[in-house]
Amino acid sequence: MLNDRLRREAAALLRTAERGRTPVRPLAELFAGIDAEDAYEIQLLNVRRRVAEDGARVTGHKVGLSSPVMQAMMGVDEPDYGHLLDSMELREDTPVRAAAYCAPRIEVEVGFVLGADLPGEGCTEADVLAATERVVPALELIDSRIAHWRIGIADTIADNASSAGYVIGRGRDPRELDLKGIEARLTDGGGALLAAGRSDAVLGDPATAVAWLARTVARFGVRLREGHLVLPGSCTRAVDVSPGRTYTAGFTGLGAVSLSFL
């Protein structure tokens, strides 16, 4: 584990890398002995700084590493999570500057907008469905402040689970849908298929990822609150972003959402 001084150094390094769009070497190469607990504390240091100094507001959380394949790749047996801030919210009608990020990619997700607080310890899928106001088509913009996406588990956790932005559509009541059987397709502006998948790629049921998150953050005294957005993990592989292109995620029974890049 790292001491407080080294955690602050790592947080400052990631913050500078993000602001200057200058990726850094993997944290394990720079801070010997860094572990997941260190990484979550580093993540929190930067989230708290954004809230205190930039006036940002926490609007939800995201789950990463929600597929068995990604967990095996990272050598872990559970997902990780990051924070969503209002400053990360993107709009379908406002193109995004790709150059504002280090190495942006997008992921296709079925998002959950909470209409009530979730319980913490013991939260179940039934609790998630009861508390969800609507599920929404979502695109998450991910980015890595680690050079060439050469990340380990400590890197992605410390780097706010590689999150950078999000856009959501209108959505529907989750009780009207088979949440395990939503087909998802990511296409470009010309209609070419870039990636495809299904919602049960996320831990078998995206509601399972939300329940896991509620239980996990409860250990740190955090609750998932009414109005929060939860992104439970991607239905498809991540796709590299190119300037001048539009990306549209379409979901059976749920609608679509798009994001354009300059």
Side-chain angles (χ1 to χ4, degrees):
M1 291 181 64
L2 306 181
N3 58 37
D4 288 343
R5 178 182 61 82
L6 290 175
R7 287 175 175 176
R8 288 193 298 271
E9 285 185 13
L13 193 68
L14 290 173
R15 188 164 59 252
T16 300
E18 181 176 15
R19 290 177 176 174
R21 297 182 297 282
T22 52
V24 298
R25 290 163 50 202
L27 297 184
E29 296 180 6
L30 301 172
F31 300 92
I34 187 172
D35 61 15
E37 183 175 341
D38 293 319
Y40 278 119
E41 289 298 329
I42 292 164
Q43 179 188 135
L44 282 171
L45 284 170
N46 279 333
V47 169
R48 289 168 182 155
R49 182 179 290 269
R50 287 188 178 189
V51 170
E53 296 184 3
D54 302 336
R57 177 173 53 88
V58 175
T59 54
H61 291 79
K62 63 150 297 180
V63 179
L65 306 181
S66 55
S67 74
V69 172
M70 288 303 298
Q71 289 177 21
M73 185 182 301
M74 290 292 182
V76 296
D77 58 5
E78 68 174 17
D80 69 346
Y81 70 87
H83 291 70
L84 302 178
L85 305 174
D86 60 344
S87 56
M88 298 163 60
E89 185 173 0
L90 305 171
R91 295 174 56 92
E92 287 191 89
D93 59 1
T94 305
V96 177
R97 287 183 58 248
Y101 302 91
C102 296
R105 298 173 175 174
I106 52 174
E107 292 186 332
V108 175
E109 310 206 18
V110 175
F112 289 67
V113 176
L114 300 181
D117 294 356
L118 279 177
E121 184 179 352
C123 183
T124 66
E125 287 86 348
D127 293 325
V128 171
L129 293 179
T132 298
E133 176 183 288
R134 67 189 191 279
V135 290
V136 294
L139 283 170
E140 183 185 4
L141 178 63
I142 61 173
D143 194 19
S144 182
R145 277 58 70 163
I146 306 299
H148 310 300
W149 279 95
R150 196 158 57 91
I151 57 175
I153 185 62
D155 297 300
T156 186
I157 291 174
D159 197 19
N160 197 28
S162 303
S163 194
Y166 58 91
V167 61
I168 63 173
R170 293 182 61 84
R172 292 179 59 186
D173 186 318
R175 288 159 285 273
E176 299 175 353
L177 298 166
D178 173 13
L179 290 181
K180 300 179 184 179
I182 299 172
E183 300 285 344
R185 291 166 53 89
L186 181 67
T187 57
D188 66 9
L193 180 64
L194 303 175
R198 206 169 78 161
S199 54
D200 59 0
V202 180
L203 297 183
D205 180 346
T208 299
V210 179
W212 171 86
L213 177 63
R215 296 191 301 269
T216 300
V217 298
R219 304 174 200 163
F220 305 97
V222 176
R223 293 281 298 278
L224 303 186
R225 299 293 187 185
E226 177 185 356
H228 276 185
L229 169 68
V230 180
L231 298 178
S234 183
C235 303
T236 71
R237 66 178 182 86
V239 172
D240 291 339
V241 163
S242 297
R245 300 183 76 179
T246 295
Y247 301 87
T248 299
F251 303 80
T252 55
L254 189 57
V257 65
S258 297
L259 198 57
S260 298
F261 290 85
L262 298 173

